C-alpha cells in the first residue's frame, strides 16, 4: 500500500475526469415509467391491453388471490402448520405484472416472494402450501439454465428471472448480467426492489442512484418502473419479453415497490424500522390503486368485490385443507431428487435414514 505521503502526490483523478477538454465517449440515462398514480388515476395514455376491462379485472384478481394466499400462509405458520414464509404484502403488482406479460411456454425463474406470478402461471395453491410446508412435491416444476438452452435450441422462448434489491449486491448478479449481455440471451431480469434486504435498506447496499443502471456496465438496457402499478410492470415486461423474443438480447427492469410485511415470519421488522416509516407506503398499495382505477372506469362495483373475495377465500381455504390433509412424504424422498443414480454412500445413508424412521 502507498504511504499517506505518496497518495498526496498522486494526481487528482476525479479532477482529471471532470476535465472539460476530455471527450465524452458514452452517455446513459435511466427512464422511469408509471401509468396509474397511487390513487388509481391514469397519468398518461394507457397501453393497449388496458383498454380491455376484463384484462384489468384479471390482473386485479391475480393480486387479490396472491394476497389471500399470503395471509393464509402467514396464519398457518403462526399456528405451527407451515414453515418460515416470506410475505409479499404490498408487492403483488410486481409478480402479477411479470406473469401476465409472459407466454405460457416462456419460463419464469422466481426468487421467493413471487407467489402471485407462480399462481398466474399455473402453480396450484396446494403446491405452494406444500412447498412452504417443506414438502418436495410442492416444487417439482423447477427448471434451470433455461435461457441458454432456448438460445442453443433456437427456440423463440424467453426466460424471466426475478430477484431482490439485496441480491444485486452479490457478484453472481453482476456475472449473470455480464454473460447474458455477451451471449445476448433471451432473458429479462426483474429486480423486485422492495427497498429492504432483511434489515438492510437499499442505501446501505449501493451508492448507485438506481439499481437499473447496473445493466449499463453489462451493455444491456436498464429501466425503472413503478412496481406498485401493475399496468406499468406488465407493459415494461411485455416490451422487454417481445424484444428478447426477437433476438434483441437481455433487458433489466427495476420494479420499485415496498415490503409492507416482515422479511419472513422469522423476522420482526419493528426492530429496525418503525411503523412511522412503513405506514406512508400503504397509500401506494397496488391492489387499492387498480381497484380505484376500475371503479373510476365503471368496471368494478361493490358486488364484484364481494363476489371475488368470497371466491378467492374459498379457494385458499380449500387448498389449505388439502395441504393439511396431505400425509407427509416418506423420509427416503429427501434423497430422491438430486441424482438420477444415487451414489453409493447416499444409498447407504438412505438405507440408514429409512431404518431410523422405522425404529
Ligand atoms: C448467498 C446468500 N446469502 C444470504 C442469504 C440469506 N438471505 C435470505 S433472503 C436475504 C435478503 C434478500 O434481500 P433481497 O434480495 O432484497 O430480497 P427480499 O427478501 O427483499 O425479497 C438474505 C440475506 C441467502 N439466502 N443466500
Ligand atoms: Mg429486498
Amino acid at each position: 500500500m502507498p504511504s499517506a505521503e505518496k497518495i498526496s502526490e498522486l494526481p487528482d483523478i476525479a479532477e482529471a475526469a471532470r476535465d472539460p477538454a476530455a471527450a465524452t465517449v458514452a452517455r446513459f440515462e435511466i427512464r422511469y415509467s408509471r401509468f396509474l398514480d397511487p390513487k388509481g388515476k391514469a397519468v398518461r395514455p394507457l397501453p393497449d391491453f388496458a383498454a380491455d376491462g376484463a384484462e384489468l379485472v384479471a390482473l386485479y384478481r391475480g393480486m387479490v388471490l396472491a394476497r389471500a394466499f399470503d395471509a393464509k400462509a402467514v396464519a398457518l405458520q403462526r399456528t405451527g402448520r407451515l414453515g418460515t414464509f416470506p410475505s409479499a404484502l404490498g408487492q403483488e403488482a410486481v409478480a402479477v405484472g411479470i406473469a401476465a406479460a409472459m407466454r405460457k411456454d416462456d419460463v419464469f425463474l422466481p426468487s421467493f416472494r413471487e407467489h402471485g406470478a407462480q399462481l398466474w402461471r399455473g402453480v396450484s395453491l396446494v403446491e405452494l402450501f406444500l412447498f412452504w410446508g417443506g414438502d418436495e412435491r410442492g416444487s417439482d416444476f423447477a427448471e434451470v439454465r433455461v435461457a441458454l438452452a432456448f438460445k442453443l435450441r433456437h427456440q423463440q422462448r424467453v426466460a424471466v428471472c426475478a430477484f431482490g434489491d439485496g441480491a444485486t449486491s452479490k457478484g453472481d448478479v453482476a456475472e449473470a448480467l455480464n454473460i447474458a449481455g455477451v451471449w445476448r440471451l433471451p432473458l429479462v431480469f426483474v429486480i423486485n426492489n422492495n427497498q429492504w434486504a432483511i434489515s438492510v435498506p437499499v442505501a446501505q447496499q449501493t451508492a448507485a442512484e438506481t439499481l437499473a443502471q447496473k445493466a449499463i456496465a453489462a451493455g444491456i438496457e436498464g429501466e425503472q418502473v413503478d412496481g406498485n402499478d401493475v399496468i406499468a410492470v406488465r407493459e415494461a415486461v411485455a416490451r422487454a419479453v417481445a424484444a428478447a423474443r426477437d433476438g434483441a438480447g437481455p433487458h433489466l427492469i427495476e420494479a420499485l415497490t415496498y415490503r409492507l410485511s416482515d422479511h419472513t415470519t422469522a423476522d420482526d421488522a419493528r426492530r429496525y424500522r418503525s411503523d412511522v416509516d412503513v405506514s406512508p407506503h400503504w397509500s401506494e398499495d397496488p391492489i387499492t390503486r387498480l381497484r380505484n382505477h376500475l371503479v373510476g372506469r365503471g368496471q368494478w362495483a361493490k358486488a364484484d368485490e364481494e363476489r371475488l373475495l368470497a371466491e378467492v377465500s374459498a379457494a385458499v381455504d380449500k387448498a389449505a385443507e388439502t395441504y393439511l390433509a396431505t400425509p407427509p412424504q416418506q423420509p427416503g424422498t429427501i434423497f430422491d431428487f438430486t441424482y438420477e443414480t444415487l451414489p453409493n454412500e447416499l444409498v447407504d445413508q438412505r438405507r440408514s435414514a429409512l431404518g431410523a424412521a422405522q425404529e
Side-chain angles (χ1 to χ4, degrees), residues 164-166 192 194-197:
D165 44 286
N192 196 337
N194 64 4
Q195 322 278 340
W196 293 91

Side-chain angles (χ1 to χ4, degrees), residues 28-31 177 181 184 187-189 211-224 239-240 243 248-254:
F28 309 99
E29 61 179 14
I30 298 293
R31 304 182 73 89
L177 286 166
R184 294 185 72 78
L187 176 54
V188 178
F189 297 93
L211 298 178
Q213 74 203 57
K214 298 201 172 205
I216 291 170
I220 70 183
E221 274 196 51
E223 66 179 287
Q224 276 190 339
R239 206 171 0 91
H251 196 103
L252 172 66
I253 295 166
E254 175 187 1

Side-chain angles (χ1 to χ4, degrees), residues 86 91 111-114 163-168 170 172 192-198 200 205 259 263-264:
Q91 301 179 222
S111 177
F112 65 167
R113 224 180 277 282
E114 284 87 21
F163 49 96
D165 44 286
T168 65
K170 296 286 291 179
D172 318 44
N192 196 337
N193 182 358
N194 64 4
Q195 322 278 340
W196 293 91
I198 314 184
V200 182
Q205 293 279 348
R259 198 192 79 211
H263 168 69
T264 65

Side-chain angles (χ1 to χ4, degrees), residues 97-302:
I98 290 172
M102 296 175 67
R103 283 192 197 159
K104 213 170 168 53
D105 72 341
D106 293 335
V107 171
F108 179 54
L109 301 135
S111 177
F112 65 167
R113 224 180 277 282
E114 284 87 21
H115 331 298
Q118 293 177 291
L119 289 167
W120 186 285
R121 290 180 55 77
V123 175
S124 72
L125 287 161
V126 176
E127 282 172 329
L128 285 186
F129 281 128
L130 283 169
F131 175 81
W132 291 105
D135 191 317
E136 274 294 329
R137 288 168 292 185
S139 63
D140 65 3
F141 46 82
E143 283 186 60
V144 291
R145 299 192 76 175
V146 290
L148 183 57
F150 296 163
K151 188 173 164 114
L152 294 175
R153 293 179 191 162
H154 303 288
Q155 291 176 326
Q156 283 216 313
R157 297 165 72 188
V158 177
V160 180
C161 170
F163 49 96
D165 44 286
T168 65
S169 303
K170 296 286 291 179
D172 318 44
V173 170
E175 291 167 25
L177 286 166
N178 188 60
I179 203 67
V182 175
W183 288 343
R184 294 185 72 78
L185 295 181
L187 176 54
V188 178
F189 297 93
V190 181
I191 303 171
N192 196 337
N193 182 358
N194 64 4
Q195 322 278 340
W196 293 91
I198 314 184
S199 57
V200 182
V202 173
Q204 285 178 38
Q205 293 279 348
T206 180
E209 285 168 281
T210 69
L211 298 178
Q213 74 203 57
K214 298 201 172 205
I216 291 170
I220 70 183
E221 274 196 51
E223 66 179 287
Q224 276 190 339
V225 294
D226 182 336
N228 284 8
D229 175 2
V230 71
I231 297 179
V233 177
R234 191 196 185 293
E235 190 276 336
V237 177
R239 206 171 0 91
V241 164
R245 202 182 308 285
D246 284 353
H251 196 103
L252 172 66
I253 295 166
E254 175 187 1
L256 285 162
T257 179
Y258 190 85
R259 198 192 79 211
L260 292 170
S261 67
D262 294 331
H263 168 69
T264 65
T265 48
D267 175 45
D268 176 3
R270 278 174 302 184
R271 293 181 61 168
Y272 52 83
R273 64 179 197 187
S274 72
D275 290 344
V276 177
D277 299 326
V278 178
S279 56
H281 293 280
W282 274 100
S283 67
E284 300 262 316
D285 178 13
I287 294 186
T288 313
R289 183 181 309 202
L290 185 57
R291 182 170 57 239
N292 286 345
H293 179 70
L294 283 166
V295 169
R297 280 166 58 151
Q299 286 167 331
W300 197 247
K302 196 157 172 273

